[in-house]
Amino acid sequence: MRDLNAALVGALLLAGMATTVSHPAIAQSSDPVRGGILIQSTDVEPASFDPGFGNAPGTDIRAYRLIYENLFIQDEQGKLIPQLATDWSISEDDTTMTFQLREGVTFHDGTPLNAEAVTYNLNRMISSENPTRNGEFLGDLASAEAVDEYTLKLTMKQPSAVIISALANESGMIGSPTAMEEHGSDFGRNPVGTGPFKFESWSSGDHISFTKFEDYWQTGENGDDLPYLDGVEVRVIVDATSKLIAAEAGTVHIIDTIQPRDYAKIEENPELSLVAGPETLFNLVSFNLTQPPFDNVKLRQAVAHAIDRESLLKVIYPETGMVMKGRFPPYAQEYAENLNDVTYDPELAAELYAESGYDGPPITLTLIQRDPDTTIAQVLLAQLQQAGIPAKLELLERLSWTDKVYGHRYEMALHRWGSPAANSDISNLYGRNGGANHTGVDALYDLVDQIRGTLDDDKRNGLLADLQQYLIDNAIQVTLVGQREHWIVNNKVHGLTQEQNGAFNLKAAWLEQ
């Protein structure tokens, strides 16, 4: 057996990710203060607090991390940091992993953390009888087995290039088996983990409250019991202007997904810090291939060629953003420079539209009513009409949008994704059991399987380039524009750390009183 970090960091982690900018707001301090409720915002309310059934991988984890822990997490550089496991190793053939679990850890309901509890969680996640939405991320896991009380063995179907990041993110989070059995399908509203905070209450569309877990296992660098905070409140704030007002008023301490127009105002405020995250958030258009009218490739291609992304960039992110060429930004190791990208050609778009033979009502673009999606949609609508393609908008709140798009009851959808993602999104989007296969594309299953099992970075990146080229050539999706995610952090907040997935870890955070 080999050391897991040494054996797999190069081959199995999504490397080359940018790190956050060093900033006083996330610096450590030797004199933490206890007490207070930290308020953070989210513009994406979780659909469920059951890690198996969230629908926003990479975003749900920002709230999940308060409650749940993993065997290990990935720091900003991708290094594996022990959490519920203290040690691990992998077999020479890369198909068996063995973990030694931390002793003396309990869930919020008093259930002991042991190998049986972890086995229950991971086997539940990959169950074919009751499939979970995020189980696809662990699709290479064949089984989890408790060797003894604190020894866990994972057996994989094949060597896997994604299993490590999956175990470090939502699909590898460990909940109380007792609570899962007690609440069944309602566990997502009654979550129980081992994390620094306990779930308290949830007011849908408004806020979610968490309180300090008095028996949390971890101590700070100075030996103090953690956490320092009395609790955390996650507020659902979708409107960008409302976010800025809350930040300036000091009523919210950590604000997500800031728009470039607000950067200067934040940087001029001595009470606030603008912090860059590791992800580029970008918008894209997806087509529903499972039914008319977008089972017609010429119609999809007509729309793709009608979109002027350079003009869109000048409107949305004039100085801070980028046109997305494929699914990965230039700083990611997966970036494919030589993709034959779609071109803006309104005349060709008009020709393809005529060749498609479509003569139905205006096509519908379904989107979430939030910034900057609504502005992007208005620009797209004008560009389509300029190419002679009639279109209309359908604005929904997020959960209604999710229900419609994930259920393949839409025509064309505008949405947002983060890249690069520590939790590889390829299988979830394009694999045979993908929980987020918005488009319904089924021609990429074998390629996705090959990508997952290819450990050599260069070979895997070449296969990822092939996948992206297929998406472009067949107009499955059109990537638009994006920018590095930015956060506002109030300077009264100290002790933050950030994971490679972008989530802030609040276990050692504290507030100046």
Side-chain angles (χ1 to χ4, degrees), residues 119-135:
T119 295
Y120 180 96
N121 274 262
L122 297 181
N123 285 334
R124 172 182 181 264
M125 187 68 72
I126 62 174
S127 170
S128 59
E129 295 181 4
N130 298 293
T132 58
R133 185 185 296 277
N134 288 328

Side-chain angles (χ1 to χ4, degrees), residues 278-297:
E279 280 190 312
T280 288
L281 290 181
F282 66 95
N283 285 86
L284 66 160
V285 169
S286 287
F287 301 103
N288 183 3
L289 276 62
T290 68
Q291 63 186 29
F294 284 109
D295 55 351
N296 183 329
V297 65

Side-chain angles (χ1 to χ4, degrees), residues 45-221:
E45 182 178 13
S48 168
F49 264 87
D50 184 333
F53 293 94
N55 60 12
T59 301
D60 285 337
I61 198 167
R62 299 170 185 175
Y64 287 1
R65 181 56 73 211
L66 298 168
I67 301 174
Y68 296 112
E69 295 179 301
N70 299 62
L71 296 171
F72 49 73
I73 60 174
Q74 293 171 263
D75 68 10
E76 294 177 37
Q77 306 297 330
K79 181 181 178 181
L80 306 186
I81 305 299
Q83 210 166 48
L84 297 179
T86 59
D87 194 17
W88 45 73
S89 59
I90 186 168
S91 62
E92 290 293 336
D93 64 359
D94 294 322
T95 60
T96 302
M97 288 182 281
T98 302
F99 296 86
Q100 295 301 315
L101 302 183
R102 192 175 303 278
E103 299 183 25
V105 177
T106 61
F107 291 95
H108 303 154
D109 60 2
T111 301
L113 184 281
N114 54 31
E116 289 289 351
V118 179
T119 295
Y120 180 96
N121 274 262
L122 297 181
N123 285 334
R124 172 182 181 264
M125 187 68 72
I126 62 174
S127 170
S128 59
E129 295 181 4
N130 298 293
T132 58
R133 185 185 296 277
N134 288 328
E136 173 64 11
F137 290 122
L138 291 175
D140 292 329
L141 178 63
S143 65
E145 174 188 351
V147 177
D148 57 39
E149 186 172 9
Y150 294 107
T151 304
L152 172 73
K153 184 174 79 171
L154 303 186
T155 302
M156 291 179 286
K157 301 172 184 176
Q158 62 178 5
S160 174
V162 297
I163 190 71
I164 296 302
S165 58
L167 288 171
N169 287 272
E170 289 98 331
S171 52
M173 288 182 158
I174 308 302
S176 166
T178 304
M180 289 178 175
E181 289 290 334
E182 177 184 351
H183 295 290
S185 61
D186 291 330
F187 177 73
R189 283 276 177 169
N190 299 276
V192 178
T194 60
F197 299 95
K198 300 184 297 183
F199 174 80
E200 183 178 76
S201 64
W202 187 349
S203 178
S204 296
D206 189 75
H207 72 276
I208 310 164
S209 296
F210 308 85
T211 58
K212 174 180 181 177
F213 179 37
E214 297 286 353
D215 294 324
Y216 184 56
W217 61 269
Q218 192 167 8
T219 58
E221 293 181 359

Side-chain angles (χ1 to χ4, degrees), residues 324-359:
M324 291 296 295
K325 184 178 182 179
R327 294 195 60 88
F328 301 98
Y331 62 82
Q333 74 152 8
E334 301 92 344
Y335 178 68
E337 184 176 3
N338 296 322
L339 288 177
N340 184 19
D341 207 358
V342 66
T343 58
Y344 169 56
D345 190 335
E347 293 183 359
L348 176 58
E351 292 175 9
L352 288 166
Y353 182 69
E355 291 174 12
S356 75
Y358 179 70
D359 60 356

Side-chain angles (χ1 to χ4, degrees), residues 209-248:
S209 296
F210 308 85
T211 58
K212 174 180 181 177
F213 179 37
E214 297 286 353
D215 294 324
Y216 184 56
W217 61 269
Q218 192 167 8
T219 58
E221 293 181 359
N222 57 6
D224 286 348
D225 291 338
L226 297 179
Y228 296 113
L229 297 166
D230 287 336
V232 176
E233 182 179 295
V234 177
R235 291 188 187 170
V236 181
I237 307 176
V238 177
D239 179 66
T241 301
S242 298
K243 290 181 182 180
L244 184 61
I245 292 172
E248 292 178 323

